[in-house]
Amino acid sequence: MSGRSERVAPLAVKIVVSGGLGVGKTTFIGAVSEIEPLDTEAAITQVSVGVDSLAGVEGKTTTTVALDFGRITLDPTIALYLFGTPGQDRFSFLWDDLVEGALGTVVLVDTRRIEDCFPALDYFEAHGAPFVLAVNRFEGSDRFELGEIREALGVGDAVPVVECDARARGSVRDVLGALMDQVIGVRVRGRRTVAAAR
C-alpha cells in the first residue's frame, strides 16, 4: 500500500457573477463562499456623483472597484471559483480579463433597476457564454413574474431565469446549480450539432 493519499483534487471551474451597480454581486459571493471572500469595496465618494446613478439604491455607501472573489466546492470533484465584476460602466474594461476562461456566468437582475443588466446581457450574449439570469428579490421591491422579466429583457427561452435571495446560501447554491445545468446543456447541444453535421 502506497503512502500517497487517494484524494483527488477537485476540478477548478471559473464562474463569473455580473450585473449592474448595487445588484448584490458581493453579497451573492459572500453568502456562499467557503473561504473568506475577497472584495474590493470602496466608499462611494463625491467623485462618482453624476457618473454613477444610485437611483433605487440610494442607501448604498460602497461599491466594487475591481472584483469580488470566492470559492465553493459543489462536491468532492468540482470547485467553483467565483469572480464578481464591477457594476459601473467606467470599470467595464476589467471584464475581458475577469471573463477569460470562465465556464459560465450568473447575471443578477434588480427589478428596481432592470435596465442596469442590459450591458451584462449584451456582453455575454456577444461572447456566446452560457449564462443564467438570477432575479435578486429585494425587500420592498415590485415583484414580477419571471416570464414578464424575460420578456422585458428580450431573453430567449434557452436562457434560464430564476429567482434568488443573494443573502441566502441555499438560494445562491440553487442558482449555481442552474448555471451548471445550463453549461452542461449547452455543451451537449453543441456536440449533437457537430455530430449531425458530419
Side-chain angles (χ1 to χ4, degrees), residues 93-114:
F93 66 90
L94 295 168
W95 284 26
D96 287 342
D97 289 334
L98 289 174
V99 169
E100 186 175 350
L103 199 62
T105 303
V106 174
V107 177
L108 285 171
V109 179
D110 179 353
T111 57
R112 300 170 302 176
R113 297 161 54 100
I114 200 162

Side-chain angles (χ1 to χ4, degrees), residues 10-11 13 15 32 34 71-82 169 172-181 184:
L11 174 68
V13 176
I15 299 296
V32 78
E34 62 199 16
R71 183 190 74 209
I72 177 172
T73 304
L74 286 186
D75 64 42
T77 64
I78 300 175
L80 301 185
Y81 289 83
L82 308 174
R169 181 177 177 84
V172 171
R173 280 185 66 99
D174 290 345
V175 172
L176 294 173
L179 175 61
M180 295 309 291
D181 288 345
I184 292 167

Side-chain angles (χ1 to χ4, degrees), residues 84-158:
T85 64
Q88 306 94 316
D89 288 342
R90 60 196 166 106
F91 295 128
S92 61
F93 66 90
L94 295 168
W95 284 26
D96 287 342
D97 289 334
L98 289 174
V99 169
E100 186 175 350
L103 199 62
T105 303
V106 174
V107 177
L108 285 171
V109 179
D110 179 353
T111 57
R112 300 170 302 176
R113 297 161 54 100
I114 200 162
E115 68 283 351
D116 285 2
C117 73
F118 281 117
L121 282 178
D122 292 345
Y123 182 92
F124 295 109
E125 285 178 339
H127 283 73
F131 66 93
V132 299
L133 285 181
V135 181
N136 193 7
R137 296 300 192 187
F138 289 90
E139 290 177 19
S141 64
D142 291 335
R143 295 184 75 83
F144 300 94
E145 295 294 327
L146 295 180
E148 292 178 275
I149 294 169
R150 178 188 298 282
E151 187 176 339
L153 295 173
V155 175
D157 291 339

Side-chain angles (χ1 to χ4, degrees), residues 1-16:
M1 180 171 163
S2 89
R4 287 192 298 181
S5 170
E6 300 271 337
R7 190 171 164 212
V8 177
L11 174 68
V13 176
K14 183 178 184 181
I15 299 296
V16 171

